[in-house]
Amino acid sequence: MAAEVLATAGVQVTVLERMPSVGRKLLLAGRGGLNLTHSEPLEALLERYGAARPRLEAAIRAFGPDDLRAWCAGLGQEPFVGSSGRVFPSGLRATPLLRAWLHRLDDLGVDIRTRTEWDGSLDGVTVLALGGASWPRTGSNGAWTTALADVDITPFAPSNCGFRVDWTPVLLDRFAGTPVKDVRVSFHGSSSRGDVVVTTTGIEGGPIYALSSQLRDAADRTIELDLRPDVTDVVIDARAKDSRSTALRRAGFAPIASALLHETGSEDPKRIRLRLGAPMPIDRAISSAGGIALHAIDDTFMLSRHRGTFAAGEMLDWEAPTGGYLLQATFSTAVAAARGALAYLRHT
Ligand SMILES: Cc1cc2nc3c(=O)[nH]c(=O)nc-3n(C[C@H](O)[C@H](O)[C@H](O)COP(=O)(O)OP(=O)(O)OC[C@H]3O[C@@H](n4cnc5c(N)ncnc54)[C@H](O)[C@@H]3O)c2cc1C
């Protein structure tokens, strides 16, 4: 994105990419439906960036969700708003978008050099967009931190990740891989609603990811699951000789509900207390926290210690939940860094 902004302004741009092709994480993101941004009001969207909001706000206002949607449409992928308010390109996938984008960059004369590792040299004007440290097999391995040893970098941590749960073999035998539909997950006064999945090693899913930054940093990670978030009380019509699982099934609960109650020793399907273990490894997290500290860049996204070097995207230390907020901030900061680089070029 930074290359596009710079090349459109007439700058000769060379992109270095260590992998055999560009955009591998974007393509991976597109596998489950490329959620580009969110359609909620801008004020609500900005709140998703938590402590990083003050440093990201100007960039997101300058290239916001409407700009991103227009950009996507301009590449022939008219975006649409899904039922949850999330915005996707038509066709959902990243492949046609990336293909059209690469054609555009080619037309602009951008020179893309794949299989070329950035070696840490900072000659000329450089925009770094080297990503975080999740899913390293897409190329974003976080190894760039050693080349920026004099820059303040917060250690990487998994974000939007699942957590370990020591499930009993009995539960795993029947329910590994089973989704628990439409639950509210609460933790320390915050809650999130959606589907979670019981996996062989733990628990995954949107509501867990949404709470993952708080859970990651907590000593006691006991969450509460509400399997009927729309009602205040669950009435279970337990008849004589009914087992609890039969009574729950009659009340419309899936078999996993009674298994979870049994597993956790809970009585109430609206208040299942589940103790989570460690976060899943960063390799499989959707995103990473950590990276270049936001105080190490100025308002134009230039590194204070390296004049002429700008940084954008997930390599900066901010985090946000899933819902399109990761790509939105990635695009917005890339545009801001490129505009910063243009202003720098004009004044040097
Ligand atoms: C499974 C999955 C699903 C996701 N789904 C969504 C979603 O639907 N919506 C959303 O908003 N976000 C989603 N994300 C997150 C989103 O993909 C990332 O936040 C985004 O790609 C970050 O962009 P970036 O350009 O900062 O970094 P990256 O996309 O990671 O790109 C960095 C690039 O730099 C290259 N590189 C690294 N080091 C070097 C070096 N030394 N020299 C040369 N090249 C180097 C890497 O190979 C890589 O190609 C998803 C992530 C995952 C893993």
Side-chain angles (χ1 to χ4, degrees):
M1 193 64 185
E4 180 179 336
V5 172
L6 286 160
T8 304
V11 176
Q12 176 59 54
V13 181
T14 305
V15 174
L16 307 185
E17 166 58 60
R18 60 186 292 268
M19 299 300 279
S21 59
V22 295
R24 290 185 172 212
K25 190 173 273 182
L26 190 74
L27 293 175
L28 177 69
R31 275 205 216 153
L34 188 71
N35 183 195
L36 271 181
T37 184
H38 203 284
S39 62
E40 68 192 356
L42 190 60
E43 182 54 35
L45 181 132
L46 288 166
E47 276 303 298
R48 308 288 182 172
Y49 299 97
R53 172 177 174 168
R55 294 311 309 273
L56 300 182
E57 180 163 351
I60 294 172
R61 285 190 184 276
F63 188 83
D66 291 345
D67 302 300
L68 189 47
R69 287 161 74 164
W71 172 84
C72 182
L75 286 170
Q77 304 295 309
E78 192 61 47
F80 71 95
V81 180
S83 54
S84 55
R86 297 172 179 219
V87 177
F88 301 89
S90 54
L92 287 165
R93 321 260 311 170
T95 319
L97 185 74
L98 183 60
R99 196 179 300 128
W101 197 7
L102 290 174
H103 275 303
R104 177 183 284 176
L105 293 178
D106 194 42
D107 289 346
L108 286 167
V110 173
D111 175 14
I112 298 181
R113 298 185 191 167
T114 53
R115 292 191 167 90
T116 310
E117 186 110 17
W118 171 63
D119 61 3
S121 62
L122 294 169
D123 305 331
V125 175
T126 307
V127 179
L128 299 173
L130 304 171
S134 79
W135 282 85
R137 71 177 169 83
T138 61
S140 330
N141 60 2
W144 52 263
T145 51
T146 50
L148 294 175
D150 57 349
V151 175
D152 203 355
I153 291 171
T154 312
F156 289 117
S159 182
N160 291 304
C161 57
F163 285 80
R164 296 207 181 275
V165 180
D166 207 2
W167 301 116
T168 58
V170 178
L171 183 122
L172 284 182
D173 217 33
R174 275 197 67 197
F175 295 105
T178 305
V180 191
K181 294 282 188 189
D182 194 19
V183 292
R184 179 181 291 126
V185 181
S186 303
F187 180 69
H188 284 190
S190 302
S191 68
S192 180
R193 186 168 164 177
D195 300 347
V196 299
V197 183
V198 168
T199 70
T200 46
T201 49
I203 189 162
E204 299 271 345
I208 301 292
Y209 301 157
L211 299 169
S212 64
S213 61
Q214 282 166 273
L215 287 165
R216 181 189 65 218
D217 300 333
D220 178 357
R221 302 191 180 102
T222 304
I223 56 172
E224 201 168 86
L225 304 174
D226 178 352
L227 304 190
R228 278 283 162 84
D230 283 329
V231 299
T232 40
D233 277 312
V234 177
V235 180
I236 296 172
D237 167 25
R239 299 179 194 165
K241 288 198 223 141
D242 261 2
S243 68
R244 183 162 64 171
S245 57
T246 308
L248 282 165
R249 210 169 313 132
R250 192 172 316 108
F253 286 96
I256 183 122
S258 47
L260 282 172
L261 286 169
H262 187 260
E263 180 87 0
T264 57
S266 307
E267 292 292 327
D268 183 349
K270 285 187 65 62
R271 275 180 209 85
I272 298 179
R273 285 170 63 76
L274 178 66
R275 196 184 185 118
L276 307 187
M280 291 297 178
I282 198 163
D283 305 31
R284 286 304 162 108
I286 287 183
S287 58
S288 55
I292 296 176
L294 294 176
H295 62 248
I297 52 167
D298 70 11
D299 290 345
T300 68
F301 289 79
M302 182 161 67
L303 298 183
S304 314
R305 283 189 171 259
H306 295 279
R307 295 200 57 72
T309 300
F310 298 77
E314 211 179 302
M315 71 184 299
L316 297 173
D317 182 15
W318 53 271
E319 61 181 317
T322 56
Y325 309 106
L326 299 164
L327 284 173
Q328 177 65 59
T330 295
F331 279 98
S332 298
T333 55
V335 171
R339 287 177 181 165
L342 279 176
Y344 180 82
L345 280 166
R346 285 194 194 108
H347 292 103
T348 49

